[in-house]
Amino acid sequence: SQQGEEDPQALSIQEGENATMNCSYKTSINNLQWYRQNSGRGLVHLILIRSNEREKHSGRLRVTLDTSKKSSSLLITASRAADTASYFCATASGSARQLTFGSGTQLTVLP
Amino acid sequence: NAGVTQTPKFRVLKTGQSMTLLCAQDMNHEYMYWYRQDPGMGLRLIHYSVGEGTTAKGEVPDGYNVSRLKKQNFLLGLESAAPSQTSVYFCASNTPRGNYGYTFGSGTRLTVV
């Protein structure tokens, strides 16, 4: 089962615009993470937010977490063509911090 | 470069054949994981390990076996491949110390015909 469900499934924007992706999950978590996957490649970790945090920044990335609504959002500011990729949220839980992934958002940034 | 290495990168199997996917990490991570990714979907956990000599089932373990004889290696075996196991397989590792993201390998693309 997919713990995280992401919205939208696909997003197309112009270079320089901001991109916002949302993620909802179902159960309690240790932390929530966002990953990027370029076509045909492995996943790259972008940012992690703990369950007791509400907002976190890293460069052009801003993540929010609302545990009462079991939701998170990822904002990419001033997008670039190189940001074109699939973005996945993943929730960590369990003794080995197993990650459960959402189905992803395909972001296309047009030059 | 430090990281997670998967071999092979590509493989085609006939139904009923067996094979082993190898994952090696050089970061001294305790935790290791095997995921599969099907088209248009996120990753699903097959098996994982919290240390040398230990393994546990994930969400979709049927048809797979794993072994962790050495801390740096995590092997995924398919005893009798089926077309439903056509997928891209990703290995990842993590440390229980602190809150860090996973380090993923580049994947193995497996086709079962």
Side-chain angles (χ1 to χ4, degrees), chain B residues 3-71:
Chain B
V4 176
T5 302
Q6 291 184 233
T7 54
K9 296 191 183 306
F10 302 94
R11 185 73 185 268
V12 178
L13 285 180
K14 294 182 178 179
T15 298
Q17 287 185 321
S18 63
M19 77 164 295
T20 300
L21 283 68
L22 173 63
C23 177
Q25 53 97 0
D26 59 4
M27 296 167 288
N28 203 34
H29 284 171
E30 286 81 355
Y31 297 166
M32 295 186 75
Y33 316 84
W34 276 106
Y35 284 85
R36 61 176 287 173
Q37 183 178 31
D38 299 302
M41 297 181 67
L43 279 68
R44 291 182 293 168
L45 182 62
I46 304 171
H47 286 280
Y48 63 96
S49 168
V50 298
E52 183 178 318
T54 72
T55 63
K57 294 180 180 179
E59 180 187 353
V60 288
D62 293 343
Y64 305 95
N65 56 75
V66 287
S67 64
R68 183 113 182 256
L69 299 179
K70 294 182 178 181
K71 186 177 183 179

Side-chain angles (χ1 to χ4, degrees), chain A residues 65-84:
Chain A
L65 178 65
D66 187 335
T67 53
S68 66
K69 295 182 179 179
K70 291 186 168 58
S71 66
S72 173
S73 67
L74 172 68
L75 169 68
I76 304 174
T77 60
S79 63
R80 306 165 182 169
D83 294 329
T84 293

